[in-house]
Every structure is written in structure tokens, then in C-alpha cells.
Amino acid sequence: MKKRFWIGVLVTGLIFTFTGTGMAGKSVLEEILEANTIKVSTDANYAPQSFLNDKGELEGFDISVAKEVGKRLGVNVKFITPDWDLITAGKWGKRWDISIGSMTPTAERKHALLFTMPYYSSPAQFAVHKANTTIATLADLAGKRIGVATETTNERYLQKDLVIEDVKIVYQDWKPGKIKTYPTDANHIEDLSLGDGARLDAIFTSRQTLAEAISSGCGNGCPLKMLGDPTYYEPLSFALDKSRANSQTLVDKLNEILKSMYNDGTLVKLSEKFYHTNLIPKL
């Protein structure tokens, strides 16, 4: 009995060791290098971060950053444009490898995602219709209908449950009458542009998104104006699927690439090109 027992333990140990080695497999970085392609999720309707130009090609700050990452990795870049809530939920099933889409590494998102170091920061900003004469301060937004993109830090801010590491969040001492959510920022910008109070009283998004919408005219008119100062500044990072095994080597490599883009001024140049200001924090 003893002899048979020890044989069983040895065999089990061999099987366990073999299975463990098999499960380890290739790292995500190795898979990307072998495929010679990194699949990047982004938003095709999020100017100036990412948008379709007149030729139907993706363009913008995030697009340029992604292309530079691909160049420094030595691989091609393939863009995927899933809905934002699918990206933040994790469990991507290898449909894309990484999100380069101006995502804030909140405590909630870290349950499903891994994050790199920040690559720029973004001020959060309210806006009202240009014709509005009754909303002069942020306090005047109390009880108003405010549009915001769903599953974003801005929505969390309005709900007063936003947590960002190393960022002090100071909430307003008023409550919206209704928080109306949209798939993307472009949708609530369009609704507010229809007229003062027609569908919304105000919107809440990034300052650079509003600046782009106002300067470009949203294609067919964008009569908006910013209200007050930014309410908070958020760090923005690349995100990876936490459920995908062996991802840490890719995180490490991406951080290495980002540091080189900080040091050689690439990020500052891209920020000034698309935002007309330097949104790159100091290392």
C-alpha cells in the first residue's frame, strides 16, 4: 500500500508540473510580436482623441500615440472600435490586445483591467448652450438635465462615487435634476447643440473634447460654451485585459516605451498638435 501510495504521489506531481508548464504558455507580448500586429481598441467618434477624417481614416491624439507604440514595438497596428462599456468591463477574449482610448485608471476599473503609467492628463469640464442666459455658475446646474457619456469617470463624478488613486476629488454641493447617459460624448454634444433646454441643459466631458467641438463646429454647427473651471484633472493610461494570462510583460514593455516618448518629447509634440496645449505631466 505504501509503495502504491508513493507512486501515485509522484505521478500526480509529474502531471501537475506538466500541466502548469503548459498553462504558462507564451506571454501576451510574445503573442503580439509573433503575430506582428497589436490590436488596439479606440473610439471612432471622440475628436480630437480619435475620429474619422475626410478620407475615412482614423486620426487623432490617441491614434497617433498608438501608431508610435506600434512603431517602437516593431509591429503593425490594427484598430478595433467596440463600445466603451465593453472595453471597461474586461474579459475581452483576445478580440483586442490593448485600449489606447484616454482611460482613467479608477479603483473600480482595476478589478477588471491592468493599467500602464499615465501618458497624459485631462481636465473635466461642463458646458451649456451658447444661447443660455440663466446658467452662469456651476451652482446654477442644480436640478438641471446634464448629458454625459456612460461608464465614464465624468458619470461617476456626477453620481459622486468616483475614486482615482492620488487624485483628490472635490464634489459640487448640488445635485443634477437628471443625469442622461449616452454611448459617446459626441451624442450628448449633438443633443445640447439642438437648442438651449431642448433635450439637455448642460453636458459634462473633457475640456479638450469641448474645445474641439466648439472650434470645428461639430460638422453642422456646435453653439456651445464652457461653464466655470475644470472640476478635476484625471490621469489617463493604456488598459489591458486583466483576465488574459501573462500580460505583465506587455505592461512593462509599454511603460518602457512611454518613458522613451516622455523623454524624447514625442508626447508633448502630439499633445500640442491635437490639443494646442501641453497636457503631458512631468515624470
Side-chain angles (χ1 to χ4, degrees):
M1 291 292 294
K2 287 183 179 180
K3 187 174 181 180
R4 293 176 64 184
F5 172 78
W6 284 110
I7 290 173
V9 170
L10 287 172
V11 171
T12 303
L14 287 171
I15 293 173
F16 175 78
T17 302
F18 175 77
T19 303
T21 303
M23 288 179 65
K26 297 177 181 178
S27 70
V28 176
L29 177 59
E30 288 173 329
E31 290 178 353
I32 289 170
L33 293 176
E34 186 176 280
N36 196 37
T37 300
I38 184 168
K39 292 176 287 186
V40 178
S41 66
T42 194
D43 190 337
N45 200 17
Y46 190 40
Q49 288 86 340
S50 49
F51 58 95
L52 291 174
N53 60 25
D54 295 337
K55 297 180 181 179
E57 302 167 336
L58 280 166
E59 187 178 341
F61 176 77
D62 282 335
I63 301 303
S64 294
V65 169
K67 288 180 178 179
E68 185 64 26
V69 168
K71 178 181 176 181
R72 299 190 188 206
L73 270 177
V75 299
N76 299 315
V77 178
K78 179 180 180 181
F79 291 105
I80 312 292
T81 56
D83 289 340
W84 181 251
D85 56 350
L86 295 178
I87 300 173
T88 57
K91 296 183 179 179
W92 301 340
K94 298 187 180 182
R95 287 169 291 175
W96 53 89
D97 302 309
I98 180 175
S99 166
I100 300 183
S102 301
M103 189 184 297
T104 306
T106 63
E108 180 183 7
R109 289 172 180 165
K110 286 184 177 181
H111 293 302
L113 303 172
L114 297 172
F115 290 95
T116 64
M117 63 187 293
Y119 65 114
Y120 80 111
S121 63
S122 173
Q125 181 73 50
F126 284 98
V128 296
H129 195 276
K130 193 174 182 178
N132 181 273
T133 58
T134 60
I135 302 175
T137 68
L138 295 184
D140 294 332
L141 292 173
K144 303 298 184 181
R145 298 166 299 167
I146 301 177
V148 66
T150 188
E151 292 301 321
T152 60
T153 49
N154 294 325
E155 181 187 6
R156 290 284 183 266
Y157 179 87
L158 291 176
Q159 294 173 342
K160 298 187 177 182
D161 62 355
L162 175 60
V163 179
I164 306 174
E165 290 184 5
D166 301 322
V167 177
K168 183 180 180 181
I169 306 296
V170 179
Y171 295 108
Q172 304 297 311
D173 58 1
W174 49 265
K175 292 183 179 180
K178 180 179 180 181
I179 300 173
K180 189 174 180 180
T181 58
Y182 294 80
T184 69
D185 289 287
N187 302 130
H188 61 65
I189 288 174
E190 181 180 355
D191 262 11
L192 183 58
S193 297
L194 293 176
D196 182 30
R199 292 184 180 176
L200 294 170
D201 301 304
I203 57 175
F204 190 39
T205 182
S206 68
R207 188 180 183 89
Q208 58 268 28
T209 298
L210 282 171
E212 174 68 18
I214 292 170
S215 65
S216 68
C218 301
N220 55 3
C222 197
L224 309 181
K225 59 182 178 181
M226 296 187 195
L227 178 69
D229 295 323
T231 53
Y232 67 94
Y233 288 75
E234 53 187 334
L236 302 166
S237 302
F238 302 167
L240 293 82
D241 184 3
K242 196 171 186 178
S243 69
R244 187 173 178 182
N246 306 317
S247 291
Q248 189 58 46
T249 52
L250 180 57
V251 174
D252 295 340
K253 183 63 177 178
L254 291 170
N255 281 334
E256 178 185 315
I257 289 173
L258 282 174
K259 287 178 182 177
S260 70
M261 292 172 69
Y262 269 101
N263 293 333
D264 65 16
T266 298
L267 289 173
V268 172
K269 290 178 182 177
L270 291 176
S271 176
E272 291 177 342
K273 176 181 178 180
F274 290 101
Y275 301 132
H276 310 295
T277 187
N278 182 8
L279 295 176
I280 311 303
K282 293 183 179 180
L283 284 179

